Each structure stands twice: as structure tokens, then as C-alpha cells.
Amino acid sequence: MSTHGKAGAPDEKPAWMQHQERGNLFWLRRMRWLSLTLGRRVSRLLVFAIALYFVLVASSARLAAQAYLARCLGRTVTWLDLYRHFLAFASTIHDRVYLLNDRHELFDIQTVGTDALHKLQAGNQGLLLFGAHLGSFEVLRSLARDQPKLKMAMAMYPENARQINETLAAINPRAMQDIIALGKLDAILAIHGKLEEGTMVGILADRTSGPDQYLTLPFLGAPARFPTGPFRMAAMLRHPVYFMAGLYRGGNRYEVHFELLADFSVEDKRGRDVLVRETLARYVSALERYCQSAPYNWFNFYDFWDLKHRDHA
């Protein structure tokens, strides 16, 4: 396997889609009411119980979390590690209620690497923000809603878009207006239009929900496969691409990080395939660093390294 990895044939259905994420709109609405009525400090007591429930009951997610944490922590994983992992996940879901209802004063949010983004935005330059299922994307969205000059949209795959739209409608219907569903014929045109308007368009680039070509790259000590679709789209649209991560640091603290992966608006004669491979390699390297910096923030609760299973998914 080369440094840049090896490409695979398009896969029809990724493994993560075989593990439907748990959710119930009725309980989301009840949780929203409870959270906003009782306040974050009191309703957060339920979050500790919910995390314990998932540790004890969600066996497949627990095994996946254990495998990931062993790679990331480099030691034997304890029950406390597993609980901290699920607690971080439950906490970001709980905080989403407040972030989507503009209760930003409840949180201590630090930002790193925003100067370059502000310069691009001041020049009405659109850009792509590539994140992962790491930490909280709602923190980033809340920053954009806090600053009227920052325009933010989210592009995601149809199944994700449907689930997210249903979730957002249960929490705050006003938050639904800036989501673009990928996979449709007009999706690229919609993203292009947003970028030309100077909008930041976010994409969770660590997994996909339809046919795609993958590159196999080293990630936390073992080969893992990453979709190339978002990166090929970025090269075609010719805009800057930044890595983004909204890391949950415990309590009410978040850190939002940005770092440049590639600027496709600058002419480069080496060819699109080379640029896509290099940018994806930088993305994976950044993702690995942030996982190691905040190990309990990884929310892909399936075997991300199971290449054989994913090849036949």
C-alpha cells in the first residue's frame, strides 16, 4: 500500500448504513421540552443515565467503541473509558437542543484558526469545510448564526439529510433551511451557487451513503477506507477546503478548529487525481490528530477498519 493509499471500486452500500442510528422523534420532542423547561444543569442529569444505558445495552456500538479506543489510547480500554465515550456522545446530542435554540450563552466556545476564514468571508469567498463524525457540528452552525455576515450551509447524503431534517424539526424547525441533500442531480449546482454567494458549505467527509470510490489510508495504526467523492467535488468546484472539528471538552466547553487542507482555486498542473489523493491524505492526518487530542469525540459506532466487511457492504 502506498503512502497515498489505493483506490477501490465503487461500493453500493457502506457498512455504517447497516447500523441504523437510534432515535425517536417523540422522545426528541419530549427531551426538547424537558431540557428547555428545566434548564441544562438539571436536565443534564438524564444524560449521565442515558450514557450508562447505552454502555450496558448497545453491544455492537460498545464493541466498536472499544476497538476504536484501543487504537486511539494505545492501552487496554476500561469500562470508564467506554462510559466517557458514550457520555461525550450523549452530551453533544443534549447540547444540540440549546445550540439550535440560540442558547449560546450557556457554552464556553473557543475557536482556533478562524482568521483566514474571516478574510475569505470578508472578500465574499465561498469555501468548503470538511468535517467528520467527530464532536459537534452544531457548535459551528451556531457560530454562523451568531454572526450574520457568516453564511453557512450543510451538504449531506439523502438518508442523513432526512434524519437530520426530522431531528431539527423536532428541536427547532428554523434550523432546517440551510441543508443541501447530496446525491440529487442539482446538488452540485446548489453547492456551487452557495459557494459563489460566499457561503461556507460543510460536509462530513468520513463516510458516504451511496456508491463511491474509496482510498485505503493508514488511520490510527491500521488501514481504513475513505470516500473520495467529497474531494473530487471540491477539485471540480475549485474553492478552498478546510478541515473543521467542533470538539467537546467536557462540561459546557467546546473548541472549534479550522485548518487549510487545499486551495483548489489556485492553478496546479499536477492533475486532479494527484490533488484529490494529497488532500484526502491531509484530511486523514488531521482527523487522526484530533482523534488523539479528543479520543472520546469519535462517533462512528461501527468497525471503521473492517475492510473486508465494507467491501461487501
Side-chain angles (χ1 to χ4, degrees):
M1 182 176 64
S2 68
T3 302
H4 293 298
K6 52 188 178 181
D11 291 332
E12 292 301 323
K13 187 177 181 182
W16 71 266
M17 292 190 69
Q18 298 184 5
H19 303 273
Q20 294 297 321
E21 296 178 3
R22 297 166 186 257
N24 185 291
L25 297 182
F26 172 83
W27 289 111
L28 273 175
R29 294 187 180 97
R30 301 288 79 74
M31 190 63 183
R32 174 187 182 275
W33 178 87
L34 194 65
S35 298
L36 296 177
T37 301
L38 298 180
R40 184 176 181 272
R41 181 173 297 180
V42 175
S43 61
R44 183 167 163 75
L45 296 175
L46 291 175
V47 174
F48 291 93
I50 291 170
L52 179 60
Y53 168 82
F54 275 95
V55 170
L56 297 176
V57 174
S59 58
S60 61
R62 184 178 67 246
L63 290 173
Q66 184 175 8
Y68 156 74
L69 288 172
R71 296 182 186 281
C72 198
L73 298 175
R75 58 171 172 79
T76 301
V77 177
T78 67
W79 281 94
L80 179 59
D81 290 320
L82 293 170
Y83 180 72
R84 291 181 66 184
H85 194 180
F86 281 95
L87 179 61
F89 179 55
S91 295
T92 60
I93 299 298
H94 180 236
D95 288 345
R96 183 181 295 178
V97 172
Y98 300 100
L99 291 167
L100 290 175
N101 281 278
D102 301 322
R103 297 293 308 278
H104 310 145
E105 77 281 358
L106 297 173
F107 302 96
D108 176 11
I109 303 174
Q110 304 295 320
T111 59
V112 181
T114 57
D115 290 345
L117 269 68
H118 286 306
K119 289 180 181 178
L120 290 171
Q121 287 283 294
N124 203 39
Q125 168 71 63
L127 55 98
L128 291 159
L129 298 173
F130 282 3
H133 291 76
L134 179 77
S136 171
F137 186 75
E138 300 307 332
V139 174
L140 176 65
R141 285 162 55 92
S142 71
L143 292 177
R145 282 193 294 272
D146 250 359
Q147 304 177 49
K149 291 185 179 180
L150 290 179
K151 294 175 285 187
M152 181 75 201
M154 182 69 180
M156 58 182 62
Y157 294 95
E159 180 63 16
N160 276 4
R162 182 189 64 78
Q163 292 178 358
I164 290 293
N165 271 325
E166 290 177 351
T167 301
L168 295 181
I171 296 174
N172 184 351
R174 292 177 301 165
M176 296 174 58
Q177 59 189 0
D178 54 0
I179 294 180
I180 302 169
L182 294 172
K184 297 182 179 180
L185 292 176
D186 58 350
I188 301 297
L189 291 177
I191 293 172
H192 175 72
K194 290 288 186 181
L195 293 171
E196 291 298 306
E197 294 171 0
T199 300
M200 299 186 297
V201 179
I203 300 174
L204 300 182
D206 55 335
R207 67 191 195 193
T208 182
S209 67
D212 204 334
Q213 292 181 348
Y214 288 77
L215 285 177
T216 300
L217 294 165
F219 177 56
L220 293 174
R225 298 171 65 250
F226 292 86
T228 64
F231 299 87
R232 288 185 282 111
M233 180 184 68
M236 180 179 66
L237 293 174
R238 300 182 62 83
H239 282 269
V241 180
Y242 280 76
F243 183 89
M244 62 175 181
L247 303 179
Y248 176 63
R249 291 299 192 179
N252 70 336
R253 295 177 294 114
Y254 285 87
E255 290 177 2
V256 183
H257 293 259
F258 303 93
E259 61 179 78
L260 181 66
L261 294 176
D263 188 351
F264 288 111
S265 67
V266 177
E267 185 68 28
D268 192 317
K269 297 182 179 180
R270 289 178 298 162
R272 183 176 297 178
D273 288 345
V274 172
L275 298 178
V276 166
R277 287 172 176 265
E278 287 186 353
T279 306
L280 179 53
R282 293 191 195 104
Y283 170 87
V284 174
S285 177
L287 179 59
E288 184 174 74
R289 280 189 284 107
Y290 285 108
C291 282
Q292 292 170 335
S293 171
Y296 304 108
N297 276 241
W298 174 259
F299 302 144
N300 277 310
F301 291 108
Y302 65 96
D303 189 351
F304 199 80
W305 291 265
D306 187 356
L307 304 185
K308 180 178 179 181
H309 177 68
R310 296 177 74 194
D311 281 340
H312 294 85

